[in-house]
Amino acid sequence: MERIYDDILHEEIYVNSYTNGLKAFVIKKKNFSKVFAGYATKYGSVDNKFVHPKTNEVVEVPEGIAHFLEHKLFEEQEGNVFDRFAKFGAMANAFTSFKETVYYFISTQNFYENLEILLDFVQNPYFTDQNVEKEKGIIAQEIRMYQDNPNWRVYFNLLNALYVNHPVKIDIAGTLESIQRITKDDLYLCYNTFYHPSNMIIVVCGDVEPQKVFDMIERMEKTKEYQSLIERMYTEEPPGVNQKRIEVKLAISNPIFYIGFKDTLNDLPPYEMMMKDIHTQILSEIIFGKSTDFYESLYKEGLINQNFGFEYTCEPEYSFFMIGGESKDPDKVYERVLEHIEDIKRRGIDKEEFERAKKVVLGSHLRKFDNPEKLSVEFIYSYFKGVNIFEYVKEISSVSFEMCEKRLKEFFNESTSCISIVWPAD
Amino acid sequence: MRKVQKISSNNNHYMAFCDDRFKINRVVVTFVDRLEREKNTKNALFPMVLVRGNNKYKDMKEINRVLDNMYGAILSIDIDKKGDLQIITFGLSFLNDRFAGEQLFEKALLFLRDIIYGPIEYGGGFEQEVIEQEKNNLKQEIESRINDKVQYAIDRCIEIMFEGQSYALYEKGNVEDLESITKDDLFSQYKKVVEKKPMYVMVYGDYNEEYAISKAEEVFGRKERENIKNNFSINIPFNSTRYVTEEMEVNQGKISLGIRTNVDTTTSDYYKLLMLNGILGASPKSKLFENVREKASLCYYAFSRVDRFKPVMVISSGIEVENYEKALNLILQQIEDIKNGNISDIEYESAINYYKTALMAIYDSPRDLLGFYFNQALVDEMTEPKDVFERLKTIKISEIQDVANRFELDTVYFLRSRGAM
């Protein structure tokens, strides 16, 4: 067991590694009443094509399978896992994102009993033809619910416009059609490939005893042998965008839009990825933040409202920046965003704005440490990218003005941008 | 966590919670007014105008610069409805001094006061142009209620159920009323609220509690304020269940049931109702989740919710349009089962455990904790989250049954796609 204490953040973290490749972390939160425990696998909606570790054959599975698997893992021969968690008072759930699936519970009592259940059920799949069929009805309703959600639609439409081939453009839950093709055997195949300890981590955050947690994991781990790295296959992605514009109509009141910028500088080593992420965050705060003249003037002209916001997603194979909200004239906003970027590129960035932006970015990251759930999820995302979230926060202060200027020159180009709009239906 | 509370006879309430576990501190100033058609839109509008600037901070950009320099402090406005009350909240969350390396607490209090009282203290009133812009923003916000179909179907159900009553009003107002609001109307309503209506100032952070509370009082003062109480009853006689169907371009149908619980939520019966809610549709092993979703595979979500400030329960689910009858019958069957005392050990245990986790988790979130104590203050109860759990533990199955037998199904609302059924 290794202990890391960060005297700037006042955070304490314990790490333990196991012979089968599993890693476990305890983020100590003294005097908190709730504990979060997450069992995560580096496996998400983008992992539809991979090399089978045993047969070495290339396998392609239906879209939405990682999410389907997440639903099904809660099922047990004797009923479902919620029965067991309910007894010990944990709120258990799971989520699937592009690159990870996380099973977790939050408890304020009986922590070790609940941890035992988590460790047990994630390692014991139980799929039958019948229970797989039954789940299709539930997931179909989940997909339909999201189809009515304008924010979800505008987001995935943007990804569809940004990416030509990369599976990040596919809805996490798959489609009404693709989930029908999923079978029990597909689920077992994916489970056996991606739910290996070497591809997983466990994160616990709360006021618990690290050694006790690590011992319990040691005792509960079923798989003992090591597995080599899983080879995932993504079709090559060209640098340009798939389409410049994507529109759809839904029963909403005012147009909703996202403008996207595709980042072509991908596949960097983890540290450089992290720095690129931080630079882009600070830079975008300088360009589009709420204290800029740009924001103020768009707001005053009624082109944007309080819902206006932006976000940068930074992954090894795909990175993109998006900015948007509600507007009566999304195309006008798009035009103004592009003009503004050109203007900043000409003028350069202001030192005072740079210092202020750094404070904003630092504050927003420190906020995450107050919520065990958010902190753990953030930790998992970063860890799978090869980055430690503690280091991440420390690096924000070290960023220099010149680094941000350099990033400005290489990113935010008109040619790799596009717009997604959801219009109100008549 | 240490807590200090001061309630004065003239309705200025101060509460301080001191705790060193967090990196972010929080200050909240809340005003309470009656939810009434002639002013709810104005009450939703004036805070939006306040955060646009005043004679001290000339525009949003200046306000946002102050916030940015406080390490991205977040200023928020929330307009809520609690029973027949309209709740107007100004919140500010900012970095703990230890991490900021400078003292932000007093700065934050003064800043919040300058936002709320700026137009009065520094003179100048509201600008017509700003009012017009914010009217437009508010209009968009009210109209965009239809974007979230789950919440929309619940809101419509309540509107139909309480037609003509103040509880039917939307907390952020009505588009029809916006147009006629004049600059003077708005300013005078604003002054009435911030100077005359009950005020709650709550601070959460890493300080000495005596210091925190006296500082807050020094900044926000003690004015003579009105006493405003919620009306906890429904006020309309029950005749028979109403069935309302509306159409919209949607992929999934949304069903909402509005139930009169006939439970006085200011009495200990409220805790019986809470347990019923846990068993019916709030806990992970609730009857709705288990039978409508897991067994019948009819939906992705099905839940129930009770209101602390009105004797109402709402049940909500998203289904295929052709499954309407089936889903409705299955939902009603779950209530019948409770009436008949058909509650398994696991269902009961799951509900009690669900509440324990939810209530104890409140202690770990300054935002939730302030919200909890504010609700408690509004019902004149001073129990702690852990006390609520102690009370829930004592509820017997027969008491839950008894509560279920008081239920009356008032309204069934169905939002469905256009075309034939």
Side-chain angles (χ1 to χ4, degrees):
Chain A
M1 182 174 83
E2 184 193 350
R3 174 183 179 268
I4 304 163
Y5 181 75
D6 190 304
D7 52 5
I8 297 169
L9 293 164
H10 298 281
E11 297 286 345
E12 200 178 7
I13 181 161
Y14 296 81
V15 190
N16 202 36
S17 307
Y18 299 84
T19 46
N20 59 14
L22 181 76
K23 274 202 161 193
F25 304 86
V26 172
I27 305 169
K28 185 92 175 171
K29 281 282 183 192
K30 277 209 179 99
N31 297 322
F32 270 63
S33 17
K34 71 174 171 189
V35 188
F36 171 97
Y39 202 156
T41 171
K42 189 178 176 179
Y43 172 50
S45 64
V46 300
D47 302 306
N48 287 328
K49 201 173 168 191
F50 53 90
V51 179
H52 193 289
K54 298 233 164 64
T55 62
N56 277 330
E57 273 169 43
V58 175
V59 180
E60 208 170 341
V61 287
E63 293 161 0
I65 193 159
H67 171 260
F68 203 111
L69 193 51
E70 172 224 307
H71 271 240
K72 279 324 317 157
L73 217 55
F74 284 93
E75 195 119 350
E76 299 183 308
Q77 198 157 5
E78 310 77 38
N80 74 42
V81 189
F82 293 115
D83 292 341
R84 290 199 279 154
F85 277 119
K87 208 169 252 165
F88 295 107
M91 290 199 229
N93 212 335
F95 62 87
T96 308
S97 60
F98 295 128
K99 306 193 74 171
E100 45 277 297
T101 312
V102 183
Y103 300 85
Y104 67 90
F105 70 82
I106 294 161
S107 73
T108 54
Q109 57 192 323
N110 308 316
F111 168 71
Y112 296 99
E113 286 86 346
N114 285 312
L115 181 64
E116 195 170 332
I117 300 170
L118 178 74
L119 296 173
D120 177 55
F121 94 82
V122 176
Q123 296 186 79
N124 287 297
Y126 175 71
F127 313 137
T128 63
D129 291 329
Q130 200 195 358
N131 76 27
V132 168
E133 275 318 299
K134 186 210 78 178
E135 205 64 30
K136 289 177 182 173
I138 298 172
I139 294 175
Q141 287 314 313
E142 187 177 1
I143 292 172
R144 282 187 171 275
M145 180 179 82
Y146 281 111
Q147 282 175 347
D148 282 334
N149 182 329
N151 298 316
W152 185 260
R153 287 288 287 275
V154 76
Y155 180 72
F156 271 95
N157 280 350
L158 182 80
L159 291 179
N160 263 291
L162 280 172
Y163 290 91
V164 181
N165 297 319
H166 199 281
V168 68
K169 63 190 282 181
I170 300 159
D171 192 323
I172 288 168
T175 63
L176 291 170
E177 180 274 320
S178 75
I179 59 163
Q180 293 306 326
R181 287 187 279 122
I182 293 173
T183 66
K184 178 184 83 180
D185 296 337
D186 293 333
L187 293 176
Y188 275 117
L189 170 71
C190 291
Y191 179 86
N192 291 328
T193 307
F194 292 101
Y195 284 64
H196 187 276
S198 57
N199 193 47
M200 301 178 86
I201 62 169
I202 293 168
V203 177
V204 174
C205 183
D207 198 354
V208 297
E209 237 179 275
Q211 194 58 54
K212 218 172 149 184
V213 171
F214 296 144
D215 289 347
M216 178 175 269
I217 295 170
E218 177 83 62
R219 191 159 46 77
M220 299 278 300
E221 272 299 296
K222 273 175 66 180
T223 311
K224 301 295 175 200
E225 76 280 9
Y226 197 82
Q227 176 186 283
S228 55
L229 279 180
I230 304 156
E231 194 189 331
R232 298 149 211 256
M233 305 181 70
Y234 306 114
T235 322
E236 198 174 326
E237 178 65 30
V241 298
N242 186 25
Q243 56 195 103
K244 288 297 278 181
R245 183 182 184 82
I246 187 163
E247 299 167 281
V248 67
K249 281 185 178 180
L250 281 183
I252 58 166
S253 55
N254 297 297
I256 298 177
F257 72 102
Y258 270 134
I259 297 158
F261 289 86
K262 187 171 178 177
D263 194 352
T264 48
L265 192 70
N266 297 320
D267 230 350
L268 300 169
Y271 179 81
E272 277 159 54
M273 278 270 301
M274 172 175 85
M275 293 315 287
K276 182 184 79 164
D277 190 1
I278 296 172
H279 296 154
T280 315
Q281 285 186 35
I282 295 173
L283 186 61
S284 50
E285 196 59 51
I286 296 170
I287 307 177
F288 305 114
K290 285 197 168 163
S291 57
T292 58
D293 290 324
F294 173 74
Y295 181 89
E296 180 86 8
S297 67
L298 253 56
Y299 191 98
K300 277 190 176 160
E301 289 167 52
L303 282 169
I304 59 170
N305 60 24
Q306 292 283 356
N307 296 330
F308 190 68
F310 50 85
E311 190 184 82
Y312 180 56
T313 299
C314 187
E315 290 290 337
E317 308 88 16
Y318 57 87
S319 302
F320 55 89
F321 176 84
M322 47 197 272
I323 182 162
E326 267 178 37
S327 179
K328 57 183 187 204
D329 192 349
D331 290 298
K332 185 88 198 160
V333 180
Y334 189 16
E335 197 185 304
R336 294 287 288 274
V337 164
L338 294 175
E339 272 173 24
H340 179 57
I341 289 166
E342 284 315 305
D343 188 41
I344 292 261
K345 281 187 172 170
R346 259 194 315 273
R347 279 192 293 122
I349 49 180
D350 180 274
K351 279 241 161 68
E352 199 188 313
E353 280 167 11
F354 165 74
E355 290 303 330
R356 202 169 40 235
K358 251 166 89 167
K359 282 185 172 179
V360 174
V361 172
L362 180 64
S364 81
H365 284 278
L366 284 172
R367 277 173 192 275
K368 294 173 182 163
F369 284 82
D370 280 354
N371 181 331
E373 202 174 332
K374 262 195 203 154
L375 175 60
S376 305
V377 170
E378 201 69 31
F379 183 91
I380 292 165
Y381 283 171
S382 307
Y383 179 80
F384 284 145
K385 278 196 266 187
V387 173
N388 177 337
I389 185 173
F390 293 78
E391 292 301 314
Y392 189 103
V393 177
K394 273 200 265 184
E395 289 294 345
I396 295 171
S397 325
S398 79
V399 170
S400 75
F401 182 73
E402 289 70 30
M403 289 158 151
C404 272
E405 271 190 323
K406 182 171 162 276
R407 182 68 180 139
L408 174 64
K409 287 197 186 103
E410 68 193 26
F411 193 46
F412 292 123
N413 296 310
E414 193 275 331
S415 61
T416 49
S417 72
C418 61
I419 187 167
S420 160
I421 307 171
V422 177
W423 299 101
D426 321 308
Chain B
M1 184 197 69
R2 307 171 310 271
K3 172 177 134 196
V4 190
Q5 195 161 340
K6 285 190 183 175
I7 304 172
S8 72
S9 52
N10 56 1
N11 290 300
N12 296 278
H13 305 250
Y14 284 92
M15 289 185 234
F17 302 86
C18 298
D19 194 339
D20 61 3
R21 291 180 300 161
F22 299 100
K23 293 185 171 51
I24 301 292
N25 294 330
R26 188 165 171 77
V27 178
V28 164
V29 180
T30 301
F31 299 95
V32 175
D33 200 356
R34 284 186 193 85
L35 180 64
E36 286 164 353
R37 178 79 192 241
E38 63 264 31
K39 60 188 176 191
N40 70 326
T41 311
K42 283 180 248 179
N43 281 346
L45 180 61
F46 82 74
M48 297 171 76
V49 174
L50 289 181
V51 299
R52 289 291 307 274
N54 55 52
N55 278 5
K56 176 151 190 191
Y57 301 112
K58 81 173 185 344
D59 54 22
M60 251 186 355
K61 192 175 79 185
E62 277 196 18
I63 290 173
N64 287 325
R65 288 210 165 154
V66 177
L67 294 168
D68 283 4
N69 281 322
M70 280 197 262
Y71 294 84
I74 295 174
L75 171 66
S76 58
I77 310 161
D78 285 304
I79 311 292
D80 289 314
K81 165 165 82 174
K82 293 191 191 286
D84 290 345
L85 303 177
Q86 190 179 17
I87 313 291
I88 303 142
T89 302
F90 297 85
L92 186 66
S93 71
F94 52 97
L95 204 56
N96 185 327
D97 296 354
R98 261 201 296 164
F99 298 96
E102 55 180 304
Q103 292 196 345
L104 293 181
F105 178 58
E106 202 175 341
K107 233 185 200 174
L109 286 175
L110 290 171
F111 173 74
L112 203 51
R113 187 191 64 188
D114 285 343
I115 293 296
I116 300 170
Y117 291 101
I120 300 170
E121 267 190 45
Y122 304 101
F126 297 151
E127 276 177 48
Q128 190 63 45
E129 200 190 333
V130 169
I131 294 175
E132 291 312 316
Q133 285 165 3
E134 292 308 323
K135 271 187 183 179
N136 202 32
N137 284 332
L138 183 57
K139 179 171 174 271
Q140 282 187 23
E141 210 174 316
I142 297 168
E143 286 171 347
S144 68
R145 291 173 79 191
I146 64 161
N147 294 8
D148 178 351
K149 306 293 182 288
V150 179
Q151 191 55 40
Y152 178 74
I154 292 175
D155 288 354
R156 280 296 293 138
C157 181
I158 293 289
E159 271 173 21
I160 294 160
M161 191 170 164
F162 286 87
E163 206 187 334
Q165 301 274 307
S166 96
Y167 190 64
L169 294 171
Y170 180 46
E171 59 267 28
K172 291 187 181 166
N174 306 280
V175 170
E176 310 84 71
D177 298 345
L178 265 171
E179 211 44 55
S180 60
I181 297 173
T182 67
K183 186 175 152 182
D184 292 342
D185 281 349
L186 190 67
F187 198 76
S188 96
Q189 178 57 27
Y190 149 68
K191 275 186 72 169
K192 262 186 224 159
V193 171
V194 299
E195 296 191 321
K196 296 273 178 245
K197 304 296 172 188
M199 177 177 74
Y200 295 77
V201 179
M202 305 173 92
V203 303
Y204 196 110
D206 187 7
Y207 332 100
N208 168 298
E209 56 263 57
E210 292 303 329
Y211 163 79
I213 210 155
S214 65
K215 207 68 203 163
E217 243 187 303
E218 187 188 310
V219 172
F220 286 96
R222 285 183 173 276
K223 292 187 168 74
E224 195 59 45
R225 294 176 182 278
E226 290 167 37
N227 188 23
I228 294 179
K229 290 282 171 221
N230 179 38
N231 169 15
F232 288 90
S233 62
I234 289 191
N235 284 348
I236 347 170
F238 177 70
N239 298 317
S240 61
T241 308
R242 239 172 315 201
Y243 295 86
V244 178
T245 298
E246 288 180 341
E247 293 187 346
M248 206 189 260
E249 287 297 335
V250 287
N251 278 293
Q252 186 182 59
K254 308 279 177 204
I255 184 167
S256 300
L257 281 69
I259 293 164
R260 292 161 176 255
T261 63
N262 296 310
V263 165
D264 182 346
T265 57
T266 60
T267 68
S268 58
D269 280 358
Y270 173 66
Y271 299 97
K272 300 175 191 168
L273 178 64
L274 265 191
M275 274 305 288
L276 187 155
N277 181 52
I279 291 164
L280 179 65
S283 92
K285 287 301 287 183
S286 74
K287 285 183 177 292
L288 291 174
F289 184 86
E290 210 43 33
N291 298 306
V292 186
R293 174 182 145 136
E294 291 293 296
K295 292 210 174 103
S297 207
L298 283 174
C299 62
Y300 172 65
Y301 73 90
F303 61 84
S304 65
R305 214 183 259 171
V306 287
D307 193 314
R308 178 88 219 239
F309 301 91
K310 275 285 163 194
V312 180
M313 172 184 263
V314 178
I315 295 172
S316 164
S317 184
I319 52 169
E320 282 299 313
V321 170
E322 63 262 27
N323 288 335
Y324 169 73
E325 293 285 339
K326 210 163 149 190
L328 177 59
N329 289 332
L330 201 53
I331 290 169
L332 293 174
Q333 184 56 49
Q334 307 314 309
I335 300 173
E336 279 309 306
D337 280 356
I338 294 178
K339 284 184 184 171
N340 296 326
N342 183 4
I343 296 167
S344 69
D345 290 350
I346 185 111
E347 284 166 346
Y348 184 88
E349 247 178 281
S350 167
I352 201 94
N353 282 328
Y354 159 74
Y355 281 119
K356 180 163 187 195
T357 303
L359 288 160
M360 297 309 288
I362 291 175
Y363 289 104
D364 291 345
S365 160
R367 179 180 278 272
D368 292 352
L369 199 83
L370 295 185
F372 178 86
Y373 281 107
F374 176 69
N375 280 352
Q376 296 295 95
L378 283 185
V379 292
D380 290 324
E381 254 192 50
M382 272 306 129
T383 42
E384 301 261 337
K386 61 178 180 346
D387 302 331
V388 172
F389 173 68
E390 290 305 317
R391 299 182 78 152
L392 291 177
K393 270 198 325 203
T394 65
I395 308 294
K396 296 183 199 67
I397 301 254
S398 59
E399 292 173 311
I400 296 166
Q401 246 180 294
D402 165 52
V403 166
N405 277 304
R406 288 186 240 167
F407 278 14
E408 288 167 317
L409 177 60
D410 187 289
T411 302
V412 178
Y413 174 79
F414 189 45
L415 179 68
R416 49 160 297 175
S417 48
R418 296 207 168 103
M421 200 140 171

